């Protein structure tokens, strides 16, 4: 499958869905409108000539200072054509909601939970959007660029009590 | 099909929805349990000894590696990749290096590519040996564990020879290798490759036709090809279900298209098939490593880094008499290099499946975002699907057959 042929097929099927297409180092990435994201993914998965049935990677990126601030990146692979395409969808800072790919690709489950946990991107339609890597009572999303970072003093027996007195522990 | 597949959360099992039930019991397995291969917690819903539902709970080893990488220069972040999948550090080094090299657009000398292939194939054997040993140990076969670790030691000796470290090698760097291989590298690898085939025969003689082994593995934890793809299973777990997908063949990197090897495929997608596929993979890795060994011998000495001075520091010998070389050296180690704006994604076939690396550059010497598609993290999602209706003892065999490394799950 050639990048240009694929791009042509998608734009022919969804004339208004692709906001931007970039070819960098031989890889095609398409930024799609959030409301057409699921349709494009379903088309890529189900079209007999495409069959991008394998969701290889899904992650979020925080572009602090840019509009829209967040971006969800999904890499779909066609085992038939041995080709990979990258779908990107933006999410605004004040309302970071993106449709969930889990109903289409169950493998997105953990990856979307990870993006929710670490970046605070909410995936609408996810069956169980809960924190996955951080403790359940963690406040904030640590992979955001503006999450406060603290340098922690190394605890030894002589200073352990002083450090633990101020250290936030996950509640039991 | 895919609409009905679901990965439950611990809250779903322990939550009020099923609190009224009296027939089933909720049991915690892990996070500290010898058979969960690290700090993996499983919330089990049991009907007697039968697993009604199981929810993996991860995050007990979260190290924040992806976040930490954002504060390091590209080259200095390599050491962090070792610590994710500590049973395959070289594969992690390679994946990250390839992603950044793609971003930079640098050419890598052929000799470096051959050494990389040779080492990651040895790494695959070493990693599979740990899987084999611990898998057999989980099913109470002690001697295989001892034999497997005997050969793994030999492979770690080779890593120590080239990098000075046995596990956290950080040997594959962006643009090439940390140093050149020493003079006794080729004979040492040769000695290993000579004994490996008969040693693999030995393991197979102990297990492949063993009635107890067959009893515990055949027909257990079956996952069909469609569900395996839907859950994103990769590596031997996917190929055991009959899907012949291997990145080394599908989207070759580091010159894999020039090596002669086959992709072992299973039929039933049960534990036994996953075992057979991994055993066959070890034999294929020996075959690839032998080809790389011969190429390396034919190529003779050469550079261990790309010649692009914007990425690789100049040789030490140049620094003593060239001011430009000294400046380049200084700039590279204080400031680092600046890849162009953009993003790159590379995936490789690690011992556990498809390991992917997504790097975003904002044009500065530090990565804006690095994300790893960790195969163990994603493979783990298929566990509930495979385990439902089986016994707890089968669950132990199932976890081992998926071969998760928790350092990689949590990153």
């Amino acid at each position: 499958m050639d990048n240009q042929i694929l791009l042509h097929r998608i734009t022919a099927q969804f004339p208004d869905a692709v906001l931007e297409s970039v070819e960098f180092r031989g890889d095609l990435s398409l930024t799609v409108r959030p409301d057409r994201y699921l349709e494009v993914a379903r088309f890529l998965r189900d079209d007999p000539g495409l069959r991008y049935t394998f969701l290889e990677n899904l992650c979020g990126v925080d572009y602090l200072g840019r509009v829209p601030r967040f971006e969800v990146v999904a890499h779909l692979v066609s085992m038939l054509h041995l080709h990979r395409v990258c779908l990107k969808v933006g999410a605004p800072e004040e309302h970071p909601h993106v449709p969930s790919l889990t109903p289409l690709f169950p493998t997105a489950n953990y990856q979307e939970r990870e993006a929710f946990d670490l970046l605070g991107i909410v995936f609408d339609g996810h069956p169980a959007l809960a924190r996955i890597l951080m403790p359940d009572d963690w406040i904030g999303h640590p992979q955001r660029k503006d999450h406060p970072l603290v340098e922690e003093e190394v605890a030894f027996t002589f200073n352990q009590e002083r450090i633990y007195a101020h250290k936030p522990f996950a509640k039991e | 099909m895919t609409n009905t597949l679901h990965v439950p959360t611990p809250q779903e099992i322990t939550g009020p929805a099923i609190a009224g039930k009296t027939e089933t019991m909720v049991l915690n397995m892990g996070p500290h349990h010898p058979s969960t291969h690290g700090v993996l917690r499983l919330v089990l819903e049991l009907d007697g000894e039968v697993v009604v539902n199981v929810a993996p709970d991860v995050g007990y080893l979260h190290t924040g590696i992806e976040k930490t990488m954002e504060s390091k220069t590209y080259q200095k972040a390599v050491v962090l990749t070792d610590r994710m999948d500590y049973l395959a550090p070289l594969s992690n080094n390679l994946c990250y290096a390839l992603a950044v090299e793609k971003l930079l657009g640098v050419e890598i000398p052929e000799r470096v590519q051959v050494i990389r292939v040779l080492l990651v194939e040895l790494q695959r054997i070493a990693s599979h040996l740990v899987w084999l040993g611990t898998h057999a140990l989980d099913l109470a076969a002690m001697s295989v564990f001892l034999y497997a670790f005997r050969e793994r030691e030999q492979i770690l000796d080779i890593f120590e020879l080239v990098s000075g470290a046995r596990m956290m090698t950080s040997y594959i760097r962006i643009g090439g290798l940390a140093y050149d291989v020493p003079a006794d590298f080729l004979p040492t690898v040769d000695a290993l490759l000579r004994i490996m085939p008969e040693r693999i025969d030995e393991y197979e003689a102990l297990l492949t036709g063993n009635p107890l082994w067959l009893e515990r593995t055949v027909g257990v934890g079956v996952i069909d090809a469609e569900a395996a793809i839907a859950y994103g299973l990769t590596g031997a777990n996917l190929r055991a279900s009959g899907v012949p997908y291997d990145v080394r063949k599908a989207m070759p990197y580091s010159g894999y298209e020039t090596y002669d090897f086959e992709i072992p495929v299973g039929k039933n997608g049960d534990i036994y098939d996953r075992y057979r596929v991994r055993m066959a993979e070890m034999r294929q890795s020996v075959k690839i490593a032998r080809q790389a060994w011969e190429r390396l011998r034919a190529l003779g000495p050469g550079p261990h880094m790309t010649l692009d001075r914007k990425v690789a520091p100049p040789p030490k010998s140049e620094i003593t008499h060239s001011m430009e070389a000294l400046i380049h050296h200084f700039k590279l180690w204080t400031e680092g290099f600046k890849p162009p704006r953009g993003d790159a994604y590379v995936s490789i076939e690690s011992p556990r499946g498809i390991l992917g690396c997504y790097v975003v550059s904002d044009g500065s010497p530090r990565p804006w975002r690095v994300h790893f598609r960790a195969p163990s993290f994603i493979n783990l999602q298929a566990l509930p699907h495979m385990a439902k209706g089986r016994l707890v003892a089968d669950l132990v065999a199932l976890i081992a057959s998926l071969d998760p490394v928790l350092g990689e799950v949590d990153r």
Side-chain angles (χ1 to χ4, degrees):
Chain A
M1 176 68 66
D2 183 67
N3 284 339
Q4 290 310 314
I5 297 174
L6 177 66
L7 180 61
H8 182 74
R9 292 231 30 200
I10 294 174
T11 42
Q13 185 75 18
F14 305 100
D16 59 337
V18 179
L19 295 172
E20 192 190 6
S21 72
V22 179
E23 207 175 338
F24 182 67
R25 307 264 187 249
D27 288 351
L28 179 69
S29 11
L30 306 168
T31 308
V32 292
R33 273 176 40 190
D35 53 335
R36 311 306 294 273
Y37 175 51
L38 280 187
E39 287 172 62
V40 174
R42 184 177 282 119
F43 172 71
L44 284 168
R45 186 190 75 169
D46 294 341
D47 188 88
L50 300 174
R51 303 294 287 153
Y52 286 79
T53 49
F54 181 55
L55 177 72
E56 188 172 299
N57 177 47
L58 189 143
C59 65
V61 187
D62 176 9
Y63 290 99
L64 182 66
R66 198 191 75 170
V67 178
R69 175 173 168 183
F70 298 104
E71 193 169 78
V72 173
V73 182
H75 289 92
L76 290 165
V77 168
S78 167
M79 290 180 177
L80 185 70
H81 299 294
L82 301 181
H83 189 256
R84 186 165 53 216
V85 63
C86 171
L87 281 189
K88 293 178 178 178
V89 57
E93 183 172 359
E94 59 281 4
H95 186 73
H97 283 247
V98 169
S100 169
L101 279 185
T102 310
L104 295 177
F105 303 95
T107 180
N109 190 318
Y110 271 20
Q111 309 191 56
E112 286 180 344
R113 280 179 65 189
E114 188 190 329
F116 164 71
D117 187 359
L118 301 179
L119 286 160
I121 301 169
V122 182
F123 291 89
D124 299 324
H126 191 287
L129 198 64
R131 284 195 180 273
I132 185 162
L133 294 177
M134 305 306 286
D136 289 342
D137 58 353
W138 186 272
I139 297 166
H141 304 286
Q143 223 165 55
R144 284 190 174 187
K145 290 280 178 183
D146 53 1
H147 188 81
L149 291 179
V150 284
E151 289 255 340
E152 191 178 306
E153 204 178 337
V154 180
F156 295 100
T157 38
F158 71 86
N159 60 5
Q160 186 182 350
E161 274 180 30
R162 179 168 55 80
I163 293 170
Y164 282 14
H166 305 285
K167 189 173 172 176
F169 285 99
K171 290 184 200 86
E172 287 302 318
Chain B
M1 173 76 196
T2 51
N3 296 327
T4 59
L5 303 178
H6 174 57
V7 188
T9 58
Q11 289 82 0
E12 275 175 67
I13 290 184
T14 52
I18 56 153
K21 279 193 192 174
T22 50
E23 315 86 53
T24 60
M25 176 177 77
V26 175
L27 184 82
N28 220 356
M29 186 171 165
H32 302 285
H33 190 284
S35 77
T36 56
H37 291 224
V39 277
L40 169 66
R41 174 182 173 227
L42 296 172
V43 182
L44 308 178
E45 187 191 354
L46 300 175
D47 181 3
E49 237 182 297
V50 177
V51 176
V52 178
N53 208 348
V54 48
D57 188 11
V58 302
Y60 290 93
L61 201 58
H62 187 212
T63 42
I65 283 177
E66 288 176 7
K67 176 86 174 175
T68 313
M69 283 177 118
E70 292 171 10
S71 64
K72 304 222 173 292
T73 59
Y74 285 91
Q75 193 73 281
K76 285 174 188 168
V78 171
V79 291
L80 293 168
T81 61
D82 287 325
R83 275 113 186 125
M84 292 189 308
D85 180 354
Y86 33 75
L87 293 184
L90 283 159
S91 305
N92 288 281
N93 293 167
L94 179 65
C95 183
Y96 174 66
L98 285 175
V100 180
E101 283 160 11
K102 187 172 183 179
L103 207 54
L104 288 161
V106 289
E107 283 287 315
I108 304 301
E110 193 198 344
R111 185 166 174 276
V112 173
Q113 303 223 23
V114 172
I115 297 173
R116 284 177 172 187
V117 167
L118 176 55
L119 288 172
V120 293
E121 289 307 323
L122 292 184
Q123 182 77 80
R124 186 185 321 279
I125 300 172
S127 169
H128 279 6
L129 286 174
V130 177
W131 153 79
L132 177 68
T134 51
H135 187 15
L137 202 59
D138 279 347
L139 299 186
M142 180 90 192
S143 26
V144 186
F145 177 79
L146 300 172
Y147 292 141
F149 269 64
R150 178 185 60 185
E151 270 74 71
R152 178 174 181 261
E153 279 300 297
Q154 237 178 311
I155 298 175
L156 293 192
D157 284 344
I158 295 174
F159 295 160
E160 190 177 1
L161 189 71
V162 295
S163 71
R166 295 169 74 76
M167 278 179 84
M168 304 303 167
T169 52
S170 300
Y171 183 60
I172 296 176
R173 299 282 170 89
I174 297 156
L177 306 166
Y179 342 90
D180 203 353
V181 290
D184 47 350
F185 176 67
L186 282 175
T188 320
V189 174
D190 182 48
L192 174 84
L193 293 180
R194 274 177 203 281
I195 58 154
M196 249 354 259
E198 68 183 78
R199 295 289 163 87
I200 299 171
D201 290 342
E202 261 178 45
Y203 317 138
E204 290 228 57
L206 283 166
L207 294 176
T208 306
N210 184 326
L212 284 172
W213 187 259
L214 294 172
E215 211 43 36
R216 293 291 306 273
T217 58
V218 176
V220 180
V222 178
I223 187 158
D224 62 20
E226 197 191 348
I229 294 174
Y231 276 120
L233 280 188
T234 47
N237 303 315
L238 175 68
R239 292 189 284 272
S241 301
V243 183
Y245 187 77
D246 188 313
V247 190
R248 291 175 294 174
K249 289 272 189 200
M251 295 172 198
Y253 53 92
S254 297
Y256 264 110
E257 65 278 15
T258 59
Y259 293 85
D260 172 36
F261 65 102
E262 285 142 36
I263 309 174
V265 179
K267 272 201 300 260
N268 308 319
D270 55 6
I271 298 181
Y272 188 64
D273 274 9
R274 290 195 271 281
Y275 158 76
R276 290 300 295 271
V277 166
R278 285 203 181 92
M279 294 310 271
E281 264 185 19
M282 279 204 264
R283 293 183 193 279
Q284 294 299 323
S285 287
V286 173
K287 195 173 164 188
I288 301 169
R290 174 57 76 186
Q291 292 170 47
W293 184 86
E294 265 153 21
R295 278 184 206 190
L296 191 58
R297 194 178 56 166
L299 280 168
H304 67 279
M305 267 282 190
T306 169
L307 300 174
D308 190 338
R309 286 284 174 271
K310 292 284 175 214
V311 179
K316 283 267 162 68
S317 57
E318 261 181 51
I319 292 174
T320 52
H321 60 264
S322 161
M323 193 63 208
E324 282 75 21
L326 186 66
I327 292 168
H328 272 306
H329 183 98
F330 184 73
K331 288 268 281 182
L332 269 176
W333 291 119
T334 51
E335 192 183 293
F337 45 78
K338 296 175 181 170
R341 272 168 181 276
D343 54 353
Y345 177 78
V346 166
S347 61
I348 69 160
E349 194 69 34
S350 97
R352 259 153 287 286
I354 297 180
L355 176 69
C357 181
Y358 179 67
V359 186
V360 181
S361 163
D362 63 340
S364 76
R366 291 161 214 275
W368 180 259
R369 169 90 163 100
V370 185
H371 174 77
F372 283 92
R373 184 244 188 241
S376 304
F377 180 62
I378 290 158
N379 290 349
L380 213 52
Q381 294 182 98
L383 190 65
H385 182 91
M386 295 173 177
K388 275 177 200 168
R390 307 294 318 186
L391 299 178
V392 178
D394 291 334
L395 184 67
V396 170
L398 259 172
I399 300 167
S401 82
L402 282 177
D403 190 21
V405 164
L406 271 296
E408 185 182 64
V409 171
D410 294 349
R411 298 183 305 290

